[in-house]
Amino acid sequence: MVVENNVPLQALNTFHIVARAQQMVRIASLADAQAVLQDAHLAAQPKFVLGGGSNLVLTGDVKPLVLKVEVMGCALVQETPKAYIVEAGAGENWHDFVAWTLAQGLPGLENMALIPGTVGAAPVQNIGAYGVELQDVFDSLDALDLRSGEVFTLDAARCAFGYRDSVFKHDSGMGLKDRALILKVRFALPKVWKPVLGYADIEKMRQQEGVQTPNAQQIFDWVCRIRRAKLPDPAVVGNAGSFFKNPTVSSEQCADIIARDPKVVHYRLDNGSYKLAAGWLIDACGWRGKSVGQAGVYEKQALVLVNRGQGSQGATGGEVMTLARAIQTSVYERFGLMLETEPVVL
Ligand code: EPU
């Protein structure tokens, strides 16, 4: 086990915010993680598990011990009557894993192409895009309990998935926040695959391409094209994807907002409530393209905050959070809704 000191984190977070980890250990295997827990000094320290750093705002140097997850490997591990079970190391890049499954002839993840981050971070957020969420294809995961040192396996029910939410984000009750180090994740990919269409952007692409029933590779390519057209590439412009969650409101609240703003983008949910497009709400408040210091609101999608500079000339976490709070205040003043932030703020 190697403990690295004073490690620059700029390349390890997709906002490319300049900050350092006081101490960091790279975890390539269960044995690496256990070695940390067997070291009395390291075991006693607060810990922060870092995946791809794609859902993170660093507001200063990181004091907890950073565990950088680098557990690798992808394999087809099992077959059930209905599904192929594939397993990936938590450190695998999510998009590369999606591409790998398709190369193996195993569709099911294509709608979630190009989501930044690692496989291990995907269940924490219950990532989703274009009508598919991780929970729809999740089988189980293995994790190390950083308190007890036990390895445990969780199925979907015990992960308590919600919209961009899971047991790994909560610290009360059965919550596992800052406690579980996810090592491996398994996915159940259907043997009888059907394309998930229906999202407006995908439907537009299908018509434009004149394809009746697309295959998984076509959907993968379309999703990549749609995302590249409207979301910034973190390798070029620092960002953490959607910065806020789309809020859910009651039908009365929704009717009230529509009465004032007939164009508000809203979707009816199965339980009768409505989801509003946070990007639209922010846009309607005039934030698209605005900045605080070097932190800005992306021109093509107001739900995404970006770092307009590079390195020490770039945005600080403080600027990003000042901008985020100003957006929350103006959306609240106009629509009476407090937007919830998505990324982890450290
Ligand atoms: N809109 C505007 N102005 C804007 C941005 C959006 O009017 O500046 C409108 C769009 O025209 C559209 C609606 O808002 O009618 C929704 O926009 P979009 O289709 O881009 O999706 P979203 O709700 O903003 C969500 C996810 C994305 C995911 C897409 C596609 C959340 C918080 N975000 O975005 O996920 O890729 O749907 O499924 O649920 C992420 O979580 O990091 C992420 C990128």
Side-chain angles (χ1 to χ4, degrees):
M1 175 184 58
V2 179
V3 181
E4 300 171 48
N5 293 301
N6 208 21
V7 185
L9 294 176
Q10 192 191 328
L12 301 183
N13 75 97
T14 61
F15 246 119
H16 305 307
I17 290 171
V18 175
R20 286 175 180 268
Q22 286 186 353
Q23 290 197 306
M24 185 171 100
V25 177
R26 294 175 192 269
I27 306 293
S29 64
L30 170 61
D32 286 347
Q34 285 170 328
V36 171
L37 300 187
Q38 277 152 15
D39 178 302
H41 174 67
L42 295 179
Q45 290 187 33
K47 296 170 194 68
F48 177 72
V49 177
L50 178 64
S54 61
N55 196 42
L56 183 62
V57 183
L58 296 171
T59 58
D61 289 343
V62 180
K63 295 193 182 72
L65 170 66
V66 173
L67 302 178
K68 170 81 172 70
V69 181
E70 298 183 347
V71 180
M72 308 308 274
C74 301
L76 172 63
V77 290
Q78 203 194 326
E79 220 181 288
T80 68
K82 288 196 171 156
Y84 295 106
I85 311 294
V86 287
E87 180 181 85
E92 290 285 346
N93 172 277
W94 172 262
H95 177 73
D96 293 347
F97 170 60
V98 174
W100 177 85
T101 56
L102 289 182
Q104 308 303 304
L106 301 170
L109 302 179
E110 56 284 345
N111 293 50
M112 294 189 285
L114 266 196
I115 295 182
T118 55
V119 166
V124 178
Q125 273 285 90
N126 186 20
I127 58 170
Y130 305 104
V132 180
E133 281 187 314
L134 175 120
Q135 66 177 7
D136 304 328
V137 282
F138 179 85
D139 175 69
S140 56
L141 61 79
D142 299 336
L144 176 69
D145 184 332
L146 292 170
R147 281 193 213 155
S148 69
E150 303 275 326
V151 176
F152 59 95
T153 298
L154 294 186
D155 62 12
R158 288 173 65 207
C159 288
F161 291 123
Y163 167 57
R164 296 293 188 277
D165 196 28
S166 73
V167 71
F168 306 105
K169 285 187 142 185
H170 297 272
D171 47 14
S172 58
M174 303 287 277
L176 290 171
K177 186 167 188 269
D178 298 330
R179 189 165 164 186
L181 187 141
I182 297 171
L183 296 160
K184 286 177 178 172
V185 186
R186 285 171 293 276
F187 299 85
L189 303 179
K191 284 187 170 171
V192 180
W193 172 85
K194 276 205 238 100
V196 178
L197 304 169
Y199 250 64
D201 283 343
I202 302 257
E203 191 50 30
K204 212 160 55 184
M205 198 66 105
R206 194 183 67 75
Q207 285 174 15
Q208 195 180 306
E209 298 286 302
V211 176
Q212 188 59 35
T213 313
N215 61 37
Q217 186 62 46
Q218 282 170 315
I219 295 180
F220 175 91
D221 293 341
W222 295 350
V223 168
C224 291
R225 273 163 63 187
I226 295 165
R227 291 187 73 101
R228 288 195 174 112
K230 71 170 167 192
L231 295 170
D233 176 355
V236 183
V237 178
N239 76 90
S242 298
F243 204 90
F244 302 96
K245 294 184 187 182
N246 286 327
T248 302
V249 295
S250 67
S251 60
E252 293 78 18
Q253 256 179 311
C254 189
D256 191 44
I257 293 173
I258 293 170
R260 282 183 284 143
D261 282 277
K263 288 194 187 139
V264 64
V265 178
H266 58 288
Y267 317 92
R268 192 173 190 281
L269 301 177
D270 290 346
N271 63 8
S273 58
Y274 285 80
K275 187 171 270 192
L276 305 182
W280 187 93
L281 300 171
I282 298 166
D283 199 0
C285 292
W287 280 103
R288 192 141 48 100
K290 294 276 166 60
S291 302
V292 165
Q294 292 300 311
V297 181
Y298 192 52
E299 281 74 8
K300 294 183 205 161
Q301 171 38 303
L303 196 52
V304 178
L305 303 190
V306 294
N307 183 350
R308 298 206 191 279
Q310 306 280 339
S312 58
Q313 304 300 309
T316 63
E319 287 173 338
V320 172
M321 293 315 294
T322 303
L323 176 59
R325 287 195 196 102
I327 290 171
Q328 282 173 316
T329 303
S330 69
V331 169
Y332 184 75
E333 282 171 357
R334 173 149 172 199
F335 297 103
L337 293 169
M338 184 51 89
L339 292 180
E340 230 183 283
T341 53
E342 253 205 47
V344 173
V345 181
L346 214 57

